[in-house]
């Protein structure tokens, strides 16, 4: 069963080796395990619903409403752990078809209810927060809309109901020999619709593309009507309306169906590990590689601190000790950087791509160590977030912040993001363990994905929330100062809405606000996300 106050299925957990525990202790001091609130205590705080009896399809019990109140951001996490209940929706509906979504939207619009679409609930940017509102709040849960509607094999197009989560997408396609190839780390729960409206990126985006390359068309039910976007291979028919749906974050309406570009299952897939002596050679190597445009499916470059952290987390101390000695002998010691490289293609193409990639990277000092670490990465590719549960139980908090920027700024921004986090915690006389990888590489630049671990502070929700807010604000300011995007893959939500002006400018913000008014004149759709409520660019 899915955990209510942590990541993932409660049958799965990730242990931390003794060496990893010792590393946390050495870097951060002892953790402070919190006293977790119980679910019963949270439910007891849920206020009476303003939608009881409003419509037979709307459930208004506290249990169901509470489950829709929060996503997976750090703020959501500590609210659950410390028992700090945020506003919860007044009711939850579980439509099973586009027609039922349409009816619910009409009902909400006619009665002036706020609507928050809820899909996999994996947002890490406050997309699902309920506002404090005079108006009743209806959560529309898309979890029952999870079918493959049509597979057009000649065109390699698959139409899904928008609430279909990753495992059901792949199971329904693989049964017919196809894959979408979209694997965000939240794959277990996140959905087709969530991916499209938050502009998600999967681990193998190098081969399959980001969701905006995969989204061919679909159907959006907006308060003012239906937007149907037909699929065509390409068009010069004016602005592309798919772009209105991508990244719309539930502000314009509810995506009920999405047609996605799928691929035949690859004949060959393998993941390989290489090490570089230091960051500069590594960055030069991966930049040259991605600009060579070989048919690879994954490149993931860890900086020195992340490499050491991952090797410590890996367990198998004797094997890792042997590997460290071997790498050291080959010139990769302190500060070495690990690259994970994937190929997913027909056998001949894969063989050629791998040979060329290894040749090019060897010219940049890379040491190739084979597929054992790659196979382990692939087996655990969705398990990393489970460590957040383990860390919390040991008394440590963890969060991630990501962006993307052009190549000249990649290293300066990566270092500055980590440093601004250290400065925030230093002001409290505390430490943070900050480490980074590049997970989505482009000829023009790269995403930067930094992870932060720090000891839980005494005093419950308020001091921990304060530290997190300062961390987010400091790193966001650093990103803006280096010309990075507000988000490469997690979207804007409520948490990043205040920084969107840095990227879109006044005219861009006014355009977005005008689009919100156009699709949703009564302002019922997911207020406060993408555009701040009450701010200068409120819709
Ligand atoms: C552990 C973890 C790992 C993650 N890894 C990645 C990653 O590798 N790559 C990545 O891109 N993201 C990642 N994320 C972020 C998150 O999974 C994505 O933002 C995902 O796309 C959200 O999808 P969801 O179905 O869970 O949507 P939800 O979280 O339920 O909703 C997100 C937003 O979309 C709106 N929405 C959802 N469905 C619809 C719809 N059909 N119509 C209109 N609005 C809708 C909601 O109202 C909300 O505003 C990760 C999150 C976690 C917790």
């Amino acid at each position: 069963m899915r955990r209510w106050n942590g990541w993932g299925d409660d049958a799965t957990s990730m242990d931390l080796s003794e060496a990893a525990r010792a590393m946390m202790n050495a870097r951060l001091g002892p953790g402070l395990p919190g006293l977790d609130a119980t679910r019963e205590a949270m439910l007891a705080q849920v206020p009476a619903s303003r939608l009881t009896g409003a419509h037979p399809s709307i459930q208004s019990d506290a249990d169901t409403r509470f489950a829709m109140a929060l996503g997976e951001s750090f703020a959501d996490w500590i609210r659950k752990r410390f028992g700090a209940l945020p506003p919860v929706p007044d009711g939850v509906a579980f439509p099973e078809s586009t027609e039922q979504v349409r009816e619910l939207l009409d009902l909400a619009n006619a009665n002036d209810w706020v609507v928050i679409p809820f899909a996999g609930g994996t947002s890490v940017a406050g997309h699902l927060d309920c506002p404090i509102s005079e108006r009743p709040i209806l959560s529309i849960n898309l979890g029952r809309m999870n079918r493959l509607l049509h597979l057009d094999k000649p065109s390699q197009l698959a139409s899904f109901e928008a609430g279909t989560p990753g495992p059901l997408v792949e199971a329904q396609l693989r049964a017919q020999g196809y894959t979408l190839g979209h694997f965000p780390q939240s794959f277990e729960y996140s959905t087709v619709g969530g991916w499209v409206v938050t502009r998600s990126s999967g681990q193998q985006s190098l081969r399959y593309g980001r969701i905006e390359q995969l989204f061919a068309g679909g159907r959006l039910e907006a308060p003012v009507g239906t937007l149907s976007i037909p699929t065509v291979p390409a068009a010069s028919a004016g602005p592309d309306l798919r772009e209105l749906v991508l990244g719309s974050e539930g502000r314009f309406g509810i995506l009920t169906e999405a047609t996605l570009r799928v691929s035949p299952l690859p004949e060959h897939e393998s993941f390989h590990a290489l090490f570089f002596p230091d960051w500069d050679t590594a960055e030069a190597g991966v930049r040259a590689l991605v600009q060579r445009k070989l048919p690879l499916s994954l490149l993931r470059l860890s900086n020195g601190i992340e490499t050491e952290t991952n090797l410590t987390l890996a367990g198998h101390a004797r094997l890792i000790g042997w590997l460290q000695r071997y790498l050291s002998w080959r010139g990769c010691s302190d500060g070495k950087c690990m690259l994970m490289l994937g190929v997913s293609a027909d056998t001949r193409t894969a063989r050629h791509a791998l040979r060329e990639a290894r040749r090019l990277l060897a010219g940049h000092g890379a040491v190739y160590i084979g597929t054992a670490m790659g196979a382990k990465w692939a087996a655990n590719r969705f398990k990393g977030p489970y460590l957040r549960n383990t860390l919390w139980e040991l008394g440590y908090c963890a969060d991630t912040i990501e962006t993307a920027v052009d190549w000249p700024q990649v290293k300066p921004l990566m270092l500055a993001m980590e440093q601004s986090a250290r400065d925030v915690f230093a002001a409290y006389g505390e430490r943070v363990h900050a480490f980074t990888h590049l997970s989505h590489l482009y000829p023009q630049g790269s995403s930067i994905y930094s992870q932060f671990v720090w000891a839980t502070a005494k005093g419950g929700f308020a001091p921990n929330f304060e530290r997190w807010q300062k961390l987010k604000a400091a790193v966001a300011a650093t990103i803006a100062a280096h010309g990075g995007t507000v988000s490469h893959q997690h979207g804007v939500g409520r948490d990043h809405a205040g920084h969107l002006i840095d990227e879109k400018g006044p005219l861009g913000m006014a355009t977005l606000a005008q689009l919100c008014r156009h699709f949703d004149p009564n302002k019922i759709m997911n207020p406060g996300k993408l555009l701040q409520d009450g701010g200068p660019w409120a819709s």
Side-chain angles (χ1 to χ4, degrees), residues 7 71-73 116-124 127-128 142 162-163 182-187 189-203 220 248-251 253-256 385 388 440 449 488-491 493 525-526 529:
W7 177 251
E72 297 287 345
S73 74
I116 303 184
F118 187 104
T122 67
S123 158
V124 282
H127 286 99
L128 299 163
L142 298 155
H182 190 72
F183 303 109
Q185 210 179 26
S186 56
F187 175 79
Y189 301 104
S190 57
T191 66
V192 165
W195 298 336
V196 171
V197 306
T198 62
R199 300 187 82 105
S200 156
S201 197
Q203 291 165 340
L220 181 88
S248 57
E249 302 198 350
R251 289 301 309 252
I254 297 188
L255 182 70
T256 58
R388 203 175 174 186
H440 301 271
Y449 189 97
H488 168 266
Q489 64 199 55
H490 289 163
M525 295 303 305
N526 211 6
K529 320 302 158 43

Side-chain angles (χ1 to χ4, degrees), residues 17 23 227 309 395 538:
S17 66
M23 182 179 75
L227 181 69
T309 304

Side-chain angles (χ1 to χ4, degrees), residues 172-495:
Q172 294 179 85
L173 288 177
R174 277 166 196 248
Q176 305 204 49
Y178 287 81
T179 178
L180 178 61
H182 190 72
F183 303 109
Q185 210 179 26
S186 56
F187 175 79
E188 284 171 88
Y189 301 104
S190 57
T191 66
V192 165
W195 298 336
V196 171
V197 306
T198 62
R199 300 187 82 105
S200 156
S201 197
Q203 291 165 340
Q204 284 165 271
S205 65
L206 194 57
R207 157 77 177 84
Y208 297 103
R210 287 165 59 88
I211 201 69
E212 54 259 41
Q213 278 104 41
L214 298 172
F215 178 56
R219 181 177 172 126
L220 181 88
E221 295 297 336
V224 284
T226 301
L227 181 69
S228 283
I229 305 176
T231 62
V232 284
S236 70
D240 189 341
L241 296 182
R242 286 175 310 156
E243 285 292 338
L244 293 183
V245 179
L246 286 158
S248 57
E249 302 198 350
R251 289 301 309 252
F252 301 162
I254 297 188
L255 182 70
T256 58
E257 292 171 22
T259 300
L260 304 171
R261 300 184 171 119
V262 298
S263 307
L265 279 166
E267 202 175 56
H268 170 98
E269 183 158 81
S270 56
F271 300 96
H272 308 253
L274 300 98
F275 285 81
F276 293 86
D278 55 41
W279 179 263
D280 289 336
T281 50
E283 188 188 310
V286 295
R287 189 175 63 235
L289 182 59
V290 75
Q291 289 175 347
R292 175 82 202 282
K293 301 185 182 168
L294 289 170
L296 303 171
S297 63
L298 172 116
L299 287 175
R300 180 191 160 114
L301 177 65
S302 298
N303 73 3
I305 313 176
E306 180 168 297
T307 300
E308 282 315 304
T309 304
N310 286 347
L311 291 176
T312 310
L313 286 177
H316 311 294
R318 276 185 54 196
L319 265 179
I320 295 295
W322 179 88
L323 176 67
Q324 299 264 35
R325 283 191 295 282
Y326 170 71
L327 288 171
S328 189
W329 176 68
R330 298 283 312 270
C332 300
S333 50
D334 288 351
K336 63 183 170 298
C337 296
M338 185 170 100
L339 173 69
M340 196 59 72
L341 179 152
V343 270
S344 315
D346 64 85
T347 308
R348 266 183 70 175
T349 306
R351 198 180 300 133
H352 168 75
L354 185 61
R355 190 174 53 236
E356 286 300 302
R358 284 183 58 181
R359 199 178 54 77
L360 184 151
L361 293 175
H364 288 267
V367 177
Y368 176 78
I369 63 151
T371 53
M373 291 190 83
K376 188 155 185 217
W377 174 86
N380 289 321
R381 62 191 297 181
F382 307 126
K383 299 253 179 74
Y386 285 86
L387 277 176
R388 203 175 174 186
N389 304 329
T390 320
L391 284 167
W392 178 263
E393 280 143 27
L394 294 171
Y396 299 104
C397 302
D399 200 13
T400 61
I401 302 182
E402 45 81 45
T403 181
V405 75
D406 295 347
W407 280 115
Q409 287 300 323
V410 167
K411 181 180 172 186
L413 178 51
M414 173 185 77
L415 295 177
M417 285 167 71
E418 293 184 356
Q419 189 55 45
S420 45
R422 288 187 203 105
D423 293 344
V424 165
F425 284 91
Y428 289 99
E430 297 166 10
R431 286 174 287 168
V432 61
H433 181 45
F435 49 97
T436 302
H437 62 258
L438 312 184
S439 49
H440 301 271
L441 285 78
Y442 306 91
Q444 177 185 343
S446 177
S447 72
I448 300 176
Y449 189 97
S450 294
Q451 305 190 60
F452 306 99
V453 184
W454 65 97
T456 308
K458 282 191 195 120
F461 177 77
N464 283 287
F465 186 62
E466 182 189 280
R467 279 163 177 72
W468 173 77
Q469 278 189 310
K470 289 194 172 163
L471 170 71
K472 289 285 277 189
V475 179
T478 303
I479 290 172
H482 286 76
T485 174
V486 160
S487 173
H488 168 266
Q489 64 199 55
H490 289 163
V492 180
R494 197 168 74 173
D495 295 349

